[in-house]
């Protein structure tokens, strides 16, 4: 999704980020994928994951 896209996106900060932590990521649930961005660069590049890849990513994180 490009910054110029007209569809509003609701971003949420990672639950692992502190309230005043400037080093965090944000996640948005899109209709076709999940997007991840650096909170310090909201107009910068995004990582897009399909739902299956995102699920595998989360399972891997939880397993360490």
């Amino acid at each position: 999704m490009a910054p110029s896209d007209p569809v509003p996106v609701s971003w949420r900060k990672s639950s692992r980020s502190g309230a005043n932590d400037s080093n965090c990521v944000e996640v948005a649930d899109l209709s076709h994928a999940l997007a991840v961005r650096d909170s310090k660069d909201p107009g910068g590049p995004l990582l897009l994951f399909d739902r299956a890849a995102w699920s595998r990513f989360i399972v891997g994180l939880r397993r360490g």
Side-chain angles (χ1 to χ4, degrees):
M1 174 165 284
S4 62
D5 285 346
V7 178
V9 176
S10 178
W11 291 94
R12 65 184 186 277
K13 188 190 280 191
S14 167
S15 61
R16 296 291 188 166
S17 299
N20 297 320
D21 191 357
S22 62
N23 296 318
C24 60
V25 297
E26 295 176 316
V27 179
D29 189 357
L30 309 177
S31 62
H32 61 285
L34 285 115
V36 180
R37 71 179 182 186
D38 182 345
S39 64
K40 296 183 302 299
D41 189 11
L46 307 175
L47 295 174
L48 293 176
F49 296 89
D50 65 34
R51 295 188 182 282
W54 183 256
S55 293
R56 289 190 302 271
F57 173 70
I58 296 300
V59 167
L61 286 176
R62 289 180 177 155
R63 289 182 180 164

